Amino acid sequence: MTRILLSDVRERVSPLGEHVLLSDEVAAALAAARPVVALETSLVTHGLPLPQCVDVALEAEGRIRTGGAVPATIAISEGRMVVGLSDDEVDRLARAPDTAKATRANLSTVIARRRTAGTTVSATMLIAEACGIDVFATGGLGGVHRGAAGDVRRSLSGTLDISADLEELARTPVNVVCAGPKSILDVPLTLEYLETNGVPLMTLGADDVPGFYSRSSGARTPLRIDDIAEAAAIIATQRALGLAAGTVTCVPLAAEDAIPLPVIESAIGRALDEAGPEIRGGAVTPYLLERLHKITVGATLQANLKLICNNAEMAARLAVALDRSCSAVHRPHILRHR
């Protein structure tokens, strides 16, 4: 597959331009101002087991294409930010040894050391924004971890642990479609943090913020919307007003795919009680996801796969709706690639 440097196709070159390689498909879509949806790859490298991680990544791309948009799966390959992986590249990434997990905090290190990495929400957002990609689909949002309100038993650190996802949303105008904050987080505190940082969060067709695996987290949503067109109108207005933060559109799982909240809460409590002293920092989320998979006999994995594809489908609809909005003037001018 041939690649095109971002600096060769953008009129206003981002500082990332010399380090970002676009696939022909993504470059052509951006040049023609067609809707594009970014996809992260930490779920491929660290979040899900083989072969499900590859299968769901490719299915998510298919859902985006069916929805009328172009998928742009993003990863770091030997120090280059690649936007638009091929199927073979997704598979190789999943099987690559010693892959890193790229965030805003370590992105310069990963690139300087020419590492290969899956991109987290924060890294995916900043790369997508540099390319002029407005919409990003992921599974669940990071947030404020349990224990921040003083209940140390509900935490694995006993300290205020806040995901970089929230800071990225405050500074980067990309629209994230997800199934709500991850169930292992403190959802009310996550909502408070987003509000403090001026990040609009809306929920499609529900009064409660979804709880990732569950249709409800038990927390009321700041804003209910009843169709994707309304989300697009709010986002377009956000851009027209010059408000620089990103937005979050939460999509609940279908009832038949969701797990009841009490079941998840019980499983999380058990997993926290069983965690050894070595489970700290970046090891917390992978540990909890794996333990929940075992405790629920695979139910959380199946729900995770369903919500990733569901979010991708809704993100495509959002990208198309934004493209059709006459007020969506935020998209940077893109030159046709040479």
Side-chain angles (χ1 to χ4, degrees), residues 130-218:
C131 296
I133 298 173
D134 293 331
V135 179
F136 164 40
T138 187
L141 191 66
V144 182
H145 281 248
R146 300 182 185 214
D151 184 0
V152 178
R153 193 198 72 81
R154 306 299 291 177
S155 171
L156 290 177
S157 64
T159 61
L160 182 58
D161 187 351
I162 301 173
S163 170
D165 296 2
L166 304 188
E167 290 293 325
E168 200 62 47
L169 279 159
R171 69 173 65 144
T172 304
V174 171
N175 309 294
V176 177
V177 178
C178 66
K182 294 187 176 81
S183 301
I184 59 178
L185 303 171
D186 188 314
V187 176
L189 286 184
T190 297
L191 297 179
E192 289 283 354
Y193 198 96
L194 289 171
E195 181 183 13
T196 298
N197 283 280
V199 179
L201 182 143
M202 56 196 109
T203 299
L204 180 63
D207 293 323
D208 287 353
V209 175
F212 194 57
Y213 303 121
S214 305
R215 284 184 58 80
S216 170
S217 64

Side-chain angles (χ1 to χ4, degrees), residues 72-329:
T73 301
I74 297 174
I76 313 298
S77 178
E78 297 179 345
R80 286 293 186 95
M81 292 172 269
V82 180
V83 179
L85 299 185
S86 68
D87 292 0
D88 288 343
E89 286 171 329
V90 172
D91 188 74
R92 288 199 298 272
L93 180 67
R95 300 175 192 277
D98 192 32
T99 52
K101 186 186 287 189
T103 68
R104 175 183 280 269
N106 72 354
L107 186 61
S108 57
T109 302
V110 169
I111 291 172
R113 293 180 173 177
R114 300 187 178 181
R115 295 284 304 279
T116 292
T119 53
T120 62
V121 168
S122 64
T124 306
M125 285 182 68
L126 72 92
I127 295 169
E129 198 274 336
C131 296
I133 298 173
D134 293 331
V135 179
F136 164 40
T138 187
L141 191 66
V144 182
H145 281 248
R146 300 182 185 214
D151 184 0
V152 178
R153 193 198 72 81
R154 306 299 291 177
S155 171
L156 290 177
S157 64
T159 61
L160 182 58
D161 187 351
I162 301 173
S163 170
D165 296 2
L166 304 188
E167 290 293 325
E168 200 62 47
L169 279 159
R171 69 173 65 144
T172 304
V174 171
N175 309 294
V176 177
V177 178
C178 66
K182 294 187 176 81
S183 301
I184 59 178
L185 303 171
D186 188 314
V187 176
L189 286 184
T190 297
L191 297 179
E192 289 283 354
Y193 198 96
L194 289 171
E195 181 183 13
T196 298
N197 283 280
V199 179
L201 182 143
M202 56 196 109
T203 299
L204 180 63
D207 293 323
D208 287 353
V209 175
F212 194 57
Y213 303 121
S214 305
R215 284 184 58 80
S216 170
S217 64
R220 298 286 286 184
T221 184
L223 175 64
R224 172 180 174 142
I225 56 169
D226 290 312
D227 56 53
I228 285 293
E230 187 177 6
I234 290 168
I235 292 166
T237 304
Q238 167 106 345
R239 299 296 170 259
L241 293 173
L243 301 175
T247 68
V248 180
T249 302
C250 296
V251 182
L253 266 171
E256 61 270 21
D257 297 324
I259 302 173
L261 183 60
V263 174
I264 288 296
E265 286 296 314
S266 175
I268 291 172
R270 177 178 164 186
L272 290 171
D273 290 340
E274 294 173 351
E278 74 282 2
I279 306 300
R280 295 293 182 269
V284 171
T285 298
Y287 160 78
L288 286 174
L289 294 179
E290 182 179 356
R291 284 301 300 144
L292 291 177
H293 170 56
K294 291 180 179 178
I295 292 169
T296 63
V297 197
T300 55
L301 175 60
Q302 292 307 310
N304 204 347
L305 298 175
K306 291 284 188 180
L307 66 86
I308 288 167
C309 293
N310 189 44
N311 295 343
E313 182 177 328
M314 290 299 173
R317 295 186 189 179
L318 177 59
V320 170
L322 276 172
D323 188 62
R324 290 174 178 169
S325 172
C326 60
S327 300
V329 296

Side-chain angles (χ1 to χ4, degrees), residues 4-23 26-34 36 74 83 124-134 172-174 329-338:
I4 300 166
L5 274 173
L6 174 61
S7 56
D8 288 341
V9 301
R10 286 286 311 267
E11 183 178 52
R12 293 200 301 269
V13 178
S14 161
L16 274 61
E18 294 299 325
H19 301 277
V20 176
L21 293 172
L22 307 174
S23 69
V26 172
L30 293 173
R34 292 169 53 203
V36 179
I74 297 174
V83 179
T124 306
M125 285 182 68
L126 72 92
I127 295 169
E129 198 274 336
C131 296
I133 298 173
D134 293 331
T172 304
V174 171
V329 296
H330 166 68
R331 180 184 291 109
H333 179 65
I334 307 290
L335 291 179
R336 294 186 179 275
H337 69 270
R338 293 189 279 271

